[in-house]
Amino acid sequence: VSPASRALDGYEWPAAFPYSEADLKPDWAGSDGAFYFLPKLGHHAGDECRASLTEFYGAVLPPSGADGGASVLDLCSSFTSHYPSGWKGARCVALGLNWVELFLNPSKSEFVVQDLNADAKLPFADDSFDVITNSLSVDYMTKPIELFAEMHRVLKPGGYACMAFTNRCFPTKIVPVWKRPFTEVGHAQVVGSYYKYSAEWAGGVGVVDVSPDGWVGQRDPMIVVIGRK
């Protein structure tokens, strides 16, 4: 069992959300819409850990099939959601910043262009989705409490929100708290706090380390923090 997977075990939460506005303001605080105006059709994680994330999603997503009634929302999406090849849901919404990337996403049934750092209000009805995912972008969120409250609102009772991250990033775009400390345990506790202080996640919050094993070189982690409504 990795240290990251135990990051929230016995963790003593502060009485109130511990981060200030300055903690959530990146060094480059310009328009995200401008930053992502041109499509970025590159991967932001290694092949091995992306494969591990896809395997994880294969285990938590509802069974594939347009008739299965499964509704999934992928936040901060791009040209891939890292879902298993061929997976389809009755509804799969890809929400992100660049329409070209979203149009190319093979998992989506529809897409929405929205800057969540400008407007964290999700344009969906209450209790709309079985699963919400966010792959490799939770470290860029500047309004996490508002966003996680919205995620809780649009999830169906019993639904899951899965926030996946690695240690790769645009350094000037991550929120400063992500750097203190820049560890997998620290990052899991930051994301855990977004759940903790945003809503009543009745099923609690947990951490899963799905990092790949058995390859040569620097370890490329993949961590998922999960909340259940």
Side-chain angles (χ1 to χ4, degrees), residues 125-146:
D126 296 356
D127 306 334
S128 291
F129 297 99
D130 298 285
V131 176
I132 296 175
T133 60
N134 181 323
S135 303
L136 316 179
S137 293
V138 69
D139 45 336
Y140 302 117
M141 298 294 96
T142 62
K143 298 178 179 179
I145 296 302
E146 295 91 331

Side-chain angles (χ1 to χ4, degrees), residues 100-147:
V100 174
E101 293 185 19
L102 298 172
F103 179 78
L104 295 174
N105 187 313
S107 301
K108 58 123 183 24
S109 61
E110 60 192 89
F111 67 86
V112 175
V113 176
Q114 182 172 333
D115 180 354
L116 294 174
N117 285 341
D119 180 9
K121 176 74 173 177
L122 296 174
F124 311 109
D126 296 356
D127 306 334
S128 291
F129 297 99
D130 298 285
V131 176
I132 296 175
T133 60
N134 181 323
S135 303
L136 316 179
S137 293
V138 69
D139 45 336
Y140 302 117
M141 298 294 96
T142 62
K143 298 178 179 179
I145 296 302
E146 295 91 331
L147 177 59

Side-chain angles (χ1 to χ4, degrees), residues 1 11 25 48 56-57 61-62 69 85 95 126 128 140 150 157-158 170 175 181 193 216:
V1 179
Y11 186 65
K25 184 176 181 180
E48 297 89 351
F56 168 80
Y57 283 150
L61 288 172
S85 177
L95 185 152
D126 296 356
S128 291
Y140 302 117
E150 279 292 287
F170 294 113
V175 293
S193 75
V216 178

Side-chain angles (χ1 to χ4, degrees), residues 7-25:
L8 303 183
D9 293 354
Y11 186 65
E12 295 187 10
W13 298 102
F17 185 59
Y19 307 124
S20 68
E21 184 177 346
D23 290 325
L24 298 169
K25 184 176 181 180

Side-chain angles (χ1 to χ4, degrees), residues 123-211:
F124 311 109
D126 296 356
D127 306 334
S128 291
F129 297 99
D130 298 285
V131 176
I132 296 175
T133 60
N134 181 323
S135 303
L136 316 179
S137 293
V138 69
D139 45 336
Y140 302 117
M141 298 294 96
T142 62
K143 298 178 179 179
I145 296 302
E146 295 91 331
L147 177 59
F148 277 58
E150 279 292 287
M151 287 162 40
H152 187 274
R153 179 183 65 79
V154 303
L155 269 177
K156 297 177 183 178
Y160 289 92
C162 304
M163 305 291 107
F165 56 85
T166 183
N167 58 8
R168 300 191 188 188
C169 61
F170 294 113
T172 59
K173 287 296 293 172
I174 57 172
V175 293
V177 71
W178 202 255
K179 307 172 188 177
R180 308 192 305 266
F182 197 89
T183 66
E184 294 151 45
V185 170
H187 293 162
Q189 290 170 349
V190 168
V191 178
S193 75
Y194 295 167
Y195 285 104
K196 171 71 175 178
Y197 300 99
S198 62
E200 291 293 331
W201 294 86
V205 180
V207 184
V208 180
D209 186 339
V210 299
S211 305

